[in-house]
């Protein structure tokens, strides 16, 4: 429910989950709710129902709309225009079978009567509203692109991860989807943003299918759930742990890095189709994780630096001791750096050849 300010609901921004026709209707309806008109509407609608109408989740009763127009001292032309807008939204919801349509006694008959009397003007208003919807959607797309592009920098990679099971290896996709889902989550519901599990996140993705009307969210959630279940059961292999062939242990092999990368790309494509982010969307930083366990190349790089320094020090010292002349500090520093970089380069070249991607 939007916060009340000066006796009327504060104007909310467009959010995911609003039918385009209802969004445009709610935008104008909020303008009609000036000082005094809110109290007039309370006589026919409850406060929660008014809030749903203002947020574009319900179409107001026709009798309530007429009462509001009278309270606003609307001209006959304005009243007729708003009734026709209401009918356009009603017919759209009816034709699409939307669950947002509330069928109230007598309204269906009134809609038929208005359609028979103003069929030509109804079409003109429908065309006008369609252009407004396209403009609003394009504005929302441009506004969402900045946040989504910022989030794209942390899309999962195709490199297998290091871990003791799917939960550890799938942390990249889990964290990415968690942060993406937060872009569609209202600020007051963003509690415990780092605590959501993959299962909870998939429930949120499935909810986005209903909220945004983009059905691909449900399919994505189902595909990820199936792949994760397969990884949990099929990602383990029995391996030898020593010279004794009777000594065996289960080891987890991460074979789903490519799938995680593709799932992340599908998610960002669906987000661009949904376009309507929550109010004040924020791209949260990645959740801190144990990078040495999570990403072997990063761990190997750190270890390579330490190993190179350990090799360079005695090698450089040996060269200095073997010479009979005094070694200038500049030459000593250059030789140490050169040996260090040479060893590091060799280690990195071998590691790069061994990478799966």
């Amino acid at each position: 429910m939007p916060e009340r300010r000066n006796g009327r609901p504060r104007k909310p921004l467009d959010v995911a989950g609003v039918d385009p026709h209802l969004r445009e209707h709610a935008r104008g309806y909020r303008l009609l709710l000036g000082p005094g008109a809110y109290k007039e509407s309370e006589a026919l609608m409850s406060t929660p129902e008014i809030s749903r109408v203002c947020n574009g989740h319900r179409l107001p009763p026709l009798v309530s709309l007429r009462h509001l127009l009278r309270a606003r001292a609307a001209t006959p032309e304005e009243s007729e225009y708003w009734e026709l807008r209401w009918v356009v939204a009603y017919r759209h919801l009816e034709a699409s079978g939307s669950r947002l349509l509330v069928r109230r006694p007598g309204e269906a008959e009134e809609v038929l009567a208005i359609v028979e009397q103003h069929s030509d003007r109804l079409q003109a208003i429908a065309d006008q509203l369609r252009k407004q919807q396209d403009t609003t959607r394009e504005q929302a797309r441009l506004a969402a692109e900045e946040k989504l592009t910022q989030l794209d920098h942390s899309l999962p990679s195709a490199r297998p991860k290091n871990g003791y099971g799917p939960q550890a290896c799938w942390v990249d996709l889990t964290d990415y989807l968690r942060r993406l889902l937060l872009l569609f989550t209202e600020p007051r519901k963003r509690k415990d943003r780092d605590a959501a599990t993959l299962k909870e996140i998939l429930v949120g993705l499935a909810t986005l299918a209903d909220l945004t009307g983009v059905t691909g969210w449900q399919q994505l959630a189902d595909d990820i759930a199936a792949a994760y279940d397969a990884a949990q059961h099929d990602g383990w292999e029995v391996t030898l742990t020593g010279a004794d062939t009777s000594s065996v242990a289960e080891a987890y092999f991460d074979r789903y890095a490519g799938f995680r990368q593709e799932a992340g790309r599908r998610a960002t494509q669906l987000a661009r189709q949904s376009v309507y982010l929550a109010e004040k969307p924020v791209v949260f930083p990645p959740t801190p994780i144990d990078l040495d366990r999570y990403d072997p190349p990063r761990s190997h790089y750190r270890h390579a630096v330490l190993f190179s320094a350990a090799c360079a020090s005695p090698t450089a010292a040996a060269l200095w001791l073997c010479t009979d002349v005094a070694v200038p500090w500049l030459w000593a520093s250059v030789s140490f750096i050169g040996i260090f970089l040479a060893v590091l380069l060799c280690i990195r070249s071998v590691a790069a050849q061994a990478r799966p991607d």
Side-chain angles (χ1 to χ4, degrees):
M1 181 190 308
E3 298 178 9
R4 294 182 63 172
R5 180 179 297 175
N6 298 328
R8 60 191 178 90
R10 186 184 66 177
K11 178 182 177 182
L13 299 180
D14 289 321
V15 296
V18 182
D19 182 272
H21 283 75
L22 287 180
R23 180 181 292 114
E24 295 302 326
H25 193 280
R27 190 191 306 277
Y29 191 86
R30 292 193 297 264
L31 296 177
L32 289 176
L33 284 175
Y38 185 86
K39 293 184 178 180
E40 292 289 340
S41 295
E42 282 185 318
L44 295 174
M45 286 193 296
S46 64
T47 300
E49 188 174 8
I50 294 175
S51 297
R52 285 192 289 267
V53 171
C54 290
N55 284 280
H57 294 283
R58 285 291 185 273
L59 197 61
L62 184 56
V63 63
S64 177
L65 176 62
R66 289 169 174 169
H67 188 82
L68 175 59
L69 291 170
R70 287 195 297 269
R72 296 288 295 168
T75 64
E77 291 76 13
E78 291 174 337
S79 297
E80 182 183 87
Y81 169 76
W82 270 104
E83 285 190 15
L84 294 179
R85 281 195 61 170
W86 184 93
V87 169
V88 169
Y90 184 98
R91 296 182 68 195
H92 163 75
L93 295 176
E94 187 177 40
S96 62
S98 174
R99 295 177 298 176
L100 300 178
L101 178 61
V102 178
R103 299 183 181 276
R104 304 179 181 94
E107 286 188 345
E109 291 76 12
E110 291 201 60
V111 167
L112 291 176
I114 294 174
V115 170
E116 292 178 358
Q117 187 177 0
H118 302 281
S119 58
D120 293 340
R121 186 149 185 229
L122 274 173
Q123 185 59 47
I125 291 178
D127 294 340
Q128 177 187 356
L129 293 176
R130 191 174 298 108
K131 293 180 181 179
Q132 292 179 5
Q133 293 165 19
D134 293 341
T135 301
T136 302
R137 184 176 182 82
E138 180 62 19
Q139 293 173 347
R141 187 191 66 78
L142 294 175
E145 184 61 33
E146 178 183 357
K147 299 296 182 183
L148 295 175
T149 300
Q150 182 180 349
L151 189 65
D152 284 349
H153 293 298
S154 54
L155 277 168
S157 69
R159 178 178 299 148
K161 301 299 183 286
N162 184 28
Y164 299 108
Q167 184 174 359
C169 295
W170 287 54
V171 66
D172 53 349
L173 179 62
T174 301
D175 193 50
Y176 177 79
L177 294 178
R178 178 192 297 117
R179 297 164 64 204
L180 178 63
L181 191 60
L182 286 170
L183 288 176
F184 293 90
T185 306
E186 294 301 328
R188 59 188 175 85
K189 297 182 180 180
R190 292 174 187 162
K191 299 179 181 178
D192 301 327
R193 61 182 180 85
D194 293 336
T197 64
L198 181 61
K199 182 178 180 180
E200 294 170 336
I201 291 170
L202 295 183
V203 172
L205 294 184
T207 303
L208 281 182
D210 293 331
L211 289 177
T212 65
V214 179
T215 57
W217 287 114
Q218 179 66 63
Q219 185 62 51
L220 176 63
D222 293 341
D223 291 346
I224 294 176
Y228 184 83
D229 184 65
Q232 178 65 51
H233 292 87
D234 304 334
W236 302 88
E237 287 187 0
V238 177
T239 59
L240 299 179
T241 58
D244 184 4
T245 56
S246 63
S247 177
V248 295
E250 283 192 341
Y252 181 80
F253 292 87
D254 179 26
R255 302 187 182 91
Y256 290 85
F259 172 83
R260 293 195 299 271
Q261 183 184 50
E262 180 60 26
R265 290 174 177 171
R266 286 173 59 186
T268 191
Q269 291 172 358
L270 292 172
R272 283 174 167 81
Q273 295 175 27
S274 304
V275 303
Y276 290 104
L277 304 184
E279 183 179 1
K280 298 180 181 179
V282 176
V283 178
F284 289 98
T287 301
I289 54 177
D290 185 354
L291 292 177
D292 286 344
R293 285 182 52 199
Y294 163 71
D295 194 345
R298 184 187 295 271
S299 175
H300 293 166
Y301 179 77
R302 193 190 71 173
H303 297 157
V305 171
L306 298 177
F307 183 77
S308 300
C311 291
S313 298
T315 305
L319 290 176
W320 302 335
L321 293 175
C322 291
T323 58
D324 296 332
V325 297
V327 180
W329 283 107
L330 179 60
W331 169 245
S333 301
V334 171
S335 61
F336 174 81
I337 295 174
I339 297 172
F340 170 80
L341 293 178
V343 176
L344 179 62
L345 181 61
C346 292
I347 296 176
R348 293 297 293 161
S349 298
V350 174
Q353 295 176 1
R355 286 179 191 168
D357 57 347

